[in-house]
Amino acid sequence: APPRRYARAQNAATSGLPAVFAQLVRDVSNADRTTLRTVAAVAALALFLLASRTSYTIALVLATCFASLAFAAFLARWVLSKDEGTPDMREISDAIREGADGFFAVQYALIAKLAVALALVIYLTYSARALTKEQTEAGFTRQTFAVLTTIAFLLGAACSAASGYVGMWVSVRANVRVAGAARRGAREALQVALRAGGFAAIVVVASTVLGVSFLFTIFAYVYDVGRPNGASMHDMPLMLVGYGFGASFVALFAQLGGGIYTKAADVGADLVGKVEAGIPEDDPRNPAVIADLVGDNVGDCSARGADLFESIAAEVISAMILGGALAKKANIPDATGFILFPLVVHALDCVVSAAGIMSVGSSSSGGGASQHPYEVLKGGYRVALALSVVGFLIATRAMLYVESAPGAWFSFFVCGMIGTACAYAFVFIAQYYTDYAYPPVRVIAEASTTGHGTNIIAGVGVGLESTAAPVLVISVAIVSAYWVGQSAGLVDAQTSAPTGGLFGTAVATMGMLSTAAYVLTMDVFGPIADNAGGIVEMSDQPESVRDITDQLDSVGNTTKATTKGYAIGSAALASFLLFSAYMDEVQAFTGVPFQVVDIAIPEVFVAGLVGSMTVYLFTAYACTAVGRSAQEVVTEVRRQFAENPGIMTREVKPDYSRCVSIVAASALREMIKPGVLAVSAPVLVGVVFRCVGAATSQELLGAKAVAGMLMFATVSGILMALFLNTAGGAWDNAKKYIETGAHGGKGSDAHKAAVTGDTVGDPFKDTAGPSIHVLIKMLATITLVMAPMFLD
C-alpha cells in the first residue's frame, strides 16, 4: 500500500482550501443520495428554465448534456457490475487506486493554489481595463466585468480538474474488471475497457458544453440579452474567455505533473527491471511496478481528460467569438445560430459517440470474436463518424441559414466535412507511423538488430519524417475551409467584401472535433488495458490471459498514438481560431483595424523568435524533469535489489510504496518550472514590447509582438509535438513488435536495443508531446484574457 504520507497529504490538501469550500465538500460527501438527486434535479430544472428565457437552443443543448450524463451513469453502473477477478487482482488494484487518489489530491491542491493566485491577477487586470463602446452602452462596468471573468476562470479550472478526476476515477476501477473479464475472453475484456473509456469521455465532453452553456445563460440573464436596452448577443462570447483560460491552465499542470509521474516510473522500472535484471514488464518483483501502473492513471487518463476538456472549451469559445463577429459584420438580424452553433455540434458529439460506443457489443457480425480489436474500435468510430455527418448537415441547415445568402449553410457544411476528412486523415497517418503492421515501425525494429544507436537514429528519422504529411493535411484543411467559407455569399455590410472565411475554418475545426468523445474513449481504452495487463502479470494469471491483455495493450498503444495525432491536428486548427479571435478582440477594444501582423518589424520578429524558443525550452524542461525523476527511481530500485536478494527469488516482497513516494514528490516539484514558463512568457512579451512601443512611438507594438509570438510558437509547437508523439509511439511499438517474436524476441540483443529506444521515447510521447498540445492553446487563451495589458 502507498505510504502514510498520502493520508497526510490528502488532509493537507483539503485544509489548504478555503474553509467554506472544505465544509461544502464534507457536507456533500455525507449527504443522503436521495437528497443530492433532488437538489441536482431542482438545479437542473431552474437552469433549463433560465436557458429557455435566453434561447430555446441553449435549453435543448442543456437537455442533451443532462441526457448524456445519464447515459454515462449507465455505462458506469454496467462497468462496475462486472466482477473484480481474484483476491490477488483486487489487492493490486487497491494499491493502484490508493496511489492514484493520493497523488491526485496533492497535485490538484497545488494547482488550486496557483489558480487562486492567478485569478487575483486576472481580477486586478480587468478592474483596470477599458471597455468597448458597445459594452459601456449595454451597462457593463469594470468591476462587474472583472468579477464575472474571474468567476469564469475559476469555473473553467474547477471543471477541468473535475474532468481529470473523472478520467482517473473510472480507470482505477475498470482496470481490475478488464483483467477479470480477460479470463473469460478477449471480446468481453475489450467491451469493458471501451465502455469504461466511454464513461470518462462522455462526462468530459458533456461537462465542457454544460459549463459554457451555464455561463452563457447566467451572463445573458444578468445583462438582459434579447431585451430592450439589454446587451447584445455579440458581446457574450468575449466574456467566456476566462473559462477557456482556466481550463487550459489546469490542463497544462495536470499534463505536466501526470506525464512526469508516469514516465519517470516507467523509465525507472524498464531500465533496471527489463535491461539490467532481465525480468518481464509488470513483474511483481520490480519495486517500481506499482508506481508505473499508478502513472498510467494519473498521466494518461486524468491528464488526457483535462486536455480534451480544454481543447473543446477553447475551440467552442473561439468559434463563438468568430461567429458573433461574422454576424455583426454581415449584419445578420439574428446572430443566435452563428454564436450557439459550436455548442450544438458538441452536444451532438455526445449523442453520436454514445451510439458508436454501444455499437461495439460482446460479438460482431463482421467476424465474431476473432475480429482484431483495433478493427472493432474503428467500426465504432465509423458509426459515430457517419452519424456525425448527418447531424452536422441538419445542424448547419437549421442554424446557419441566412435569407440574404441561401446557400451559405451548405458552404459551411462543406467546411465541416473538410474538418471531418482532416480528422480521419490524421488518424490514418498516426496509425501508419506507429502501428507495427506498417513499414516505419518495422524499420526501427530492424535497426535494433545492429545496436542501441541505430535504433535511436531510426526512431528520430521516422519522427522527423512523420511531420510532413500532417502539416500538408492541416495546410490544405485551413486554406480550403477558409475559401469555401469566403465564397459562402456573406459580405461585410459596410465594404461589401466577402467575410465568411474565418468562420469557415472555425466550422472545419468543429467538424474535426465532432466525434471527440469517441476519440477520447479510444484514448482512455489504452491505459486501462495497460493497467489490466499489469494486474494479470502481477497476479500470476495463466499465459492465455496475459496474451489477451497483451493484445489489448498493443491496440491501446496504437489508439493512444492515433488520438495524439488527432489532438495535435485539432490543436493546430483551434490555435488558428484563437489567434483570429485575439486579433478581433484587439480591434474591438482599440477601434483600430488589426488584421495584419508585419513580421518585418524587428520587434515583432524578435517576439516570434521568443515564441519558438519558448516551445523548445518548455520541451527541454519537461524531458529533463522526467530524466531527473527517473534517476531517483533507478537508484531506489537498484538499492532494493542489492539489499534484498530475496526479491528476485520471490521470498521478499519489494517496497512498492517507496517508489510511489519518490515519483510523486519529484513530479510535483518538477512540474512547476515549465508551467510557470508557459504562463509568464506571453505576458512578459506583451508588457515589455508595450513599453518599447510607448518609448519609440509605435502604436500597438505590444499587441503586435504577442501576435508574432503566437504565430511562431504555434508553428514550432505543432511540428515539435508531431515529432515527439510519433517518434515515441513508433519506438514503443517497435519494442512490442520484437516482443511478438521478431528479430529474436524477448531477451534478445535487438529487444534490449528496442527497450532503450522505448525509454527515450517515453518522455517524448507521454510528457512533452501531449503538454505541447495544451501549451500552444494556452498561449492563445492567456493572450485573449490578458490582452488589456498589451494595449496602449
Side-chain angles (χ1 to χ4, degrees):
R4 293 176 184 168
R5 65 183 295 177
Y6 273 132
R8 294 196 301 269
Q10 287 173 300
N11 291 334
T14 305
S15 63
L17 298 174
V20 175
F21 181 73
Q23 183 61 45
L24 178 62
V25 170
R26 287 191 289 271
D27 290 343
V28 170
S29 301
N30 297 327
D32 179 68
R33 287 182 179 270
T34 304
T35 303
L36 287 177
R37 290 194 189 101
T38 303
V39 171
V42 171
L45 179 61
L47 182 61
F48 181 80
L49 294 175
L50 202 61
S52 300
R53 178 184 180 274
T54 304
S55 167
Y56 288 116
T57 303
I58 283 283
L60 182 62
V61 167
L62 288 173
T64 305
C65 290
F66 294 142
S68 299
L69 293 175
F71 172 74
F74 159 75
L75 291 180
R77 285 195 299 270
W78 187 89
V79 171
L80 295 177
S81 69
K82 298 298 179 180
D83 74 273
E84 297 183 77
T86 65
D88 287 343
M89 287 181 173
R90 291 194 293 272
E91 182 182 355
I92 296 163
S93 176
D94 289 342
I96 296 170
R97 186 186 308 173
E98 290 176 24
D101 285 343
F103 178 74
F104 186 92
V106 180
Q107 181 191 27
Y108 277 80
L110 177 58
I111 294 174
K113 293 174 184 176
L114 296 172
V116 169
L118 188 56
L120 179 61
V121 174
I122 292 173
Y123 172 77
L124 294 176
T125 301
Y126 273 68
S127 296
R129 73 178 289 175
L131 298 176
T132 66
K133 178 182 177 183
E134 293 82 358
Q135 289 172 340
T136 303
E137 292 174 351
F140 288 84
T141 65
R142 291 183 179 183
Q143 284 302 312
T144 55
F145 208 76
V147 170
L148 292 176
T149 302
T150 305
I151 290 174
F153 169 80
L154 291 174
L155 180 62
C159 290
S160 184
S163 297
Y165 180 74
V166 164
M168 187 199 71
W169 186 91
V170 67
S171 64
V172 298
R173 286 161 177 79
N175 51 17
V176 69
R177 290 170 169 83
V178 174
R183 297 180 302 153
R184 296 184 293 274
R187 192 55 182 264
E188 183 183 350
L190 181 147
Q191 190 182 27
V192 174
L194 182 69
R195 290 195 174 186
F199 163 75
I202 295 294
V203 169
V204 167
V205 176
S207 299
T208 311
V209 179
L210 190 61
V212 176
S213 301
F214 170 77
L215 280 179
F216 190 93
T217 299
I218 297 301
F219 290 169
Y221 176 77
V222 170
Y223 287 105
D224 288 325
V225 170
R227 300 290 190 275
N229 300 320
S232 169
M233 179 77 78
H234 307 90
D235 296 324
M236 291 298 104
L238 270 179
M239 298 184 66
L240 303 174
V241 294
Y243 184 85
F245 180 37
S248 296
F249 179 82
V250 170
L252 181 69
F253 281 97
Q255 186 68 67
L256 279 171
I260 293 169
Y261 187 112
T262 183
K263 289 302 109 180
D266 195 4
V267 169
D270 284 354
L271 286 179
V272 184
K274 286 184 180 179
V275 177
E276 296 181 9
I279 57 178
E281 185 172 1
D282 299 326
D283 192 291
R285 292 171 291 178
N286 193 326
V289 68
I290 291 291
D292 185 12
L293 295 173
V294 170
D296 290 335
N297 296 286
V298 299
D300 289 333
C301 294
S302 175
R304 199 75 71 248
D307 183 358
L308 185 72
F309 180 93
E310 71 88 23
S311 293
I312 297 176
E315 179 263 324
V316 165
I317 293 168
S318 57
M320 291 174 76
I321 292 172
L322 294 176
L326 171 63
K328 193 172 184 178
K329 285 182 181 178
N331 199 23
I332 297 173
D334 185 5
T336 303
F338 285 83
I339 293 175
L340 300 183
F341 182 67
L343 295 175
V344 172
V345 169
H346 287 293
L348 286 173
D349 175 14
C350 293
V351 176
V352 301
S353 296
I357 292 166
M358 295 306 293
S359 71
V360 178
S362 57
S363 62
S364 71
S365 59
S370 63
Q371 192 176 7
H372 191 275
Y374 191 66
E375 292 304 316
V376 176
L377 298 182
K378 285 174 67 176
Y381 177 62
R382 292 189 188 100
V383 170
L385 195 64
L387 292 175
S388 75
V389 171
V390 176
F392 213 91
L393 178 66
I394 296 171
T396 49
R397 176 63 180 83
M399 302 194 68
L400 303 183
Y401 178 80
V402 181
E403 290 186 2
S404 59
W409 72 269
F410 188 77
S411 295
F412 291 128
F413 170 72
V414 173
C415 292
M417 294 306 97
I418 291 171
T420 301
C422 181
Y424 204 84
F426 259 91
V427 169
F428 174 76
I429 292 168
Q431 182 186 1
Y432 175 78
Y433 279 104
T434 57
D435 191 335
Y436 59 64
Y438 297 95
V441 172
R442 297 196 176 203
V443 167
I444 298 174
E446 185 177 355
S448 303
T449 60
T450 53
H452 300 251
T454 48
N455 170 282
I456 300 299
I457 293 169
V460 170
V462 167
L464 292 171
E465 178 190 323
S466 70
T467 62
V471 166
L472 294 176
V473 169
I474 292 172
S475 302
V476 170
I478 290 177
V479 173
S480 56
Y482 179 87
W483 285 108
V484 170
Q486 198 77 342
S487 61
L490 295 174
V491 296
D492 190 313
Q494 295 181 349
T495 65
S496 298
T499 186
L502 287 178
F503 189 69
T505 61
V507 176
T509 308
M510 292 177 229
M512 187 170 189
L513 288 170
S514 61
T515 54
Y518 192 88
V519 172
L520 180 61
T521 297
M522 293 197 297
D523 192 57
V524 178
F525 170 93
I528 291 175
D530 190 1
N531 254 213
I535 291 172
V536 166
E537 179 72 30
M538 291 188 69
S539 58
D540 292 323
Q541 296 300 306
E543 192 67 27
S544 59
V545 179
R546 181 65 194 184
D547 289 342
I548 290 174
T549 55
D550 279 347
Q551 186 183 36
L552 295 182
D553 185 20
S554 177
V555 171
N557 281 336
T558 302
T559 59
K560 286 192 290 183
T562 54
T563 51
K564 283 170 188 170
Y566 174 90
I568 191 59
S570 62
L573 291 177
S575 297
F576 180 73
L577 299 186
L578 290 165
F579 178 76
S580 303
Y582 167 73
M583 297 184 74
D584 278 351
E585 183 182 20
V586 171
Q587 183 170 320
F589 278 103
T590 61
V592 177
F594 193 67
Q595 299 174 340
V596 177
V597 179
D598 187 358
I599 62 171
I601 299 173
E603 292 86 352
V604 176
F605 184 75
V606 168
L609 288 178
V610 173
S612 295
M613 176 211 72
T614 300
V615 172
Y616 280 80
L617 189 59
F618 178 88
T619 304
Y621 285 166
C623 289
T624 53
V626 173
R628 279 193 297 266
S629 302
Q631 288 173 11
E632 296 182 43
V633 178
V634 167
T635 301
E636 174 60 23
V637 175
R638 285 174 177 168
R639 182 193 67 80
Q640 291 197 35
F641 280 154
E643 294 180 2
N644 299 289
I647 291 177
M648 293 301 294
T649 61
R650 301 181 186 267
E651 296 173 357
V652 178
K653 192 175 181 179
D655 183 2
Y656 300 124
S657 63
R658 179 63 184 158
C659 287
V660 170
S661 178
I662 288 172
V663 177
S666 181
L668 293 171
R669 182 178 64 248
E670 297 286 354
M671 76 178 187
I672 299 299
K673 187 163 71 169
V676 170
L677 171 69
V679 174
S680 61
V683 177
L684 289 175
V685 166
V687 172
V688 168
F689 282 104
R690 172 189 174 182
C691 295
V692 172
T696 57
S697 301
Q698 297 184 72
E699 188 180 23
L700 293 180
L701 183 61
K704 293 175 183 177
V706 170
M709 180 187 183
L710 283 180
M711 283 194 297
F712 281 64
T714 300
V715 171
S716 300
I718 290 168
L719 293 172
M720 178 65 82
L722 285 169
F723 164 69
L724 295 173
N725 288 339
T726 309
W731 268 317
D732 192 355
N733 273 348
K735 179 198 69 176
K736 295 286 185 185
Y737 177 59
I738 293 173
E739 289 175 347
T740 63
H743 304 300
K746 291 182 180 180
S748 64
D749 289 341
H751 183 242
K752 292 179 180 178
V755 170
T756 299
D758 179 37
T759 303
V760 173
D762 275 340
F764 282 23
K765 67 182 174 65
D766 288 322
T767 306
S771 296
I772 292 176
H773 305 169
V774 186
L775 172 69
I776 60 178
K777 285 171 289 186
M778 199 191 76
L779 290 175
T781 54
I782 194 173
T783 54
L784 275 173
V785 173
M786 296 297 185
M789 297 179 67
F790 316 145
L791 305 180
D792 299 341

